[in-house]
Amino acid sequence: MVVKKNKGTNPGKYVDTMGTVGTIGLHMVSHPAVGAVAGYFLDDWLGTKPWMFITFLILGVIAGFRAVYADTKKVMRNQDKEDNERFQRKD
Amino acid sequence: MASGLPHPLLLAPLAGMDSITINGEVVNFSHVFYTWIAMAILFTLAFLVRGQIKLVPGKLQNVFEVIIGGLEDFVVGNIGEDGRKIFHVLIALFLFIITMNLMGLVPGFDAPTANVNTNAAMALFTFGYYNWIGLRRWGVGYIKHFCGPFWWLTPLMLPLELISHCARPLSLTLRLFGNIRGEEIVLILFFLLAPLVGTIPIYFLFGLAKCLQAFIWFMLSMIYLKGSLEHAH
């Protein structure tokens, strides 16, 4: 967790990446869950029995995939940064 | 440790704080009691350190300086100089959560984060705090954070963003609750199977996992605050 600069491998980065990887699984679940609950209560409120539930569930799934995509991008960015540093050290 | 399973010794029943009666209803109170203990530990440590702050740090001051200084560098490296304005909230959350998590490993104590109510309260606070910071910073223009990159995508992006913002407190709550509760249950099962021989090695693994969970909460709140502080794309 302590950020050191250019001293061999950086332990902070591993913890950072581990944290991001640890969040991916639940993002996949929690977004559709929130979408489904929102759709269910909107159905109750508006009286449009299955439609809001279906729409919001699909929106939730899309939002979940979007969150996973953002997390993946973050992990890959960390990886690229590390590769670059290693490459520069070799020169 | 895990409530519902047999436990040799717990502090809350001894102190008569296991449950309280509100309006004739018996309410589980032990997690609040252990939260108070975590607060007491943190306040005591804070006053001890504050009382003897020196230019050349002593042992306790050194520990705090390493933790707080290192994490401040981490936050400022990620958010920029704005990070210093919100760092006090993040570090308070981190120290509070790590204390509560590690209390589950101490005999006689229970981790308050193994109860979903503690986590839900902290997650709602985090949710409210980053939205409040965003509103204070951008005013009405904060809505642009929810509208996506192009104006014609707004009808699609607004529900998506609302769902993903509402999913944040849910996933924060469930992640911490699931991890800590699961660890507590595994710990008590190992203790039942093989006292000491089974539990001592697993303490190291769980100590690491509990610190990691506190750090994940810290890092995610930092990412959310970064999102609400920086300009909408």
Side-chain angles (χ1 to χ4, degrees), chain B residues 3 20 25 43 62 82 115 145 147 150 153 165 177 190 228:
Chain B
S3 51
I20 54 166
E25 265 185 76
F43 277 130
N62 219 343
D82 281 336
N115 188 305
H145 283 81
C147 291
F150 311 109
L153 266 177
H165 276 255
F177 165 70
F190 266 76
S228 68

Side-chain angles (χ1 to χ4, degrees), chain B residues 4-105:
Chain B
L5 287 164
H7 195 281
L9 177 73
L10 272 178
L11 206 64
L14 287 180
M17 286 290 199
D18 215 10
S19 55
I20 54 166
T21 314
I22 302 173
N23 284 341
E25 265 185 76
V26 179
V27 185
N28 182 15
F29 196 68
S30 60
H31 59 283
V32 184
F33 175 67
Y34 291 119
T35 312
W36 287 349
I37 292 182
M39 283 160 62
I41 293 171
L42 282 173
F43 277 130
T44 316
L45 282 178
F47 279 118
L48 274 180
V49 171
R50 201 189 71 164
Q52 42 182 313
I53 274 190
K54 292 184 210 116
L55 202 59
V56 182
K59 266 182 195 159
L60 200 58
Q61 192 186 343
N62 219 343
V63 171
F64 274 93
E65 273 186 14
V66 165
I67 295 174
I68 295 175
L71 287 178
E72 186 168 14
D73 285 349
F74 179 74
V75 168
V76 172
N78 269 286
I79 302 187
E81 280 302 313
D82 281 336
R84 292 199 200 278
K85 285 180 204 158
I86 49 158
F87 178 68
H88 54 280
V89 175
L90 293 176
I91 194 68
L93 272 172
F94 175 77
L95 290 175
F96 190 41
I97 293 173
I98 205 172
T99 313
M100 291 199 289
N101 283 354
L102 290 176
M103 268 170 70
L105 295 180

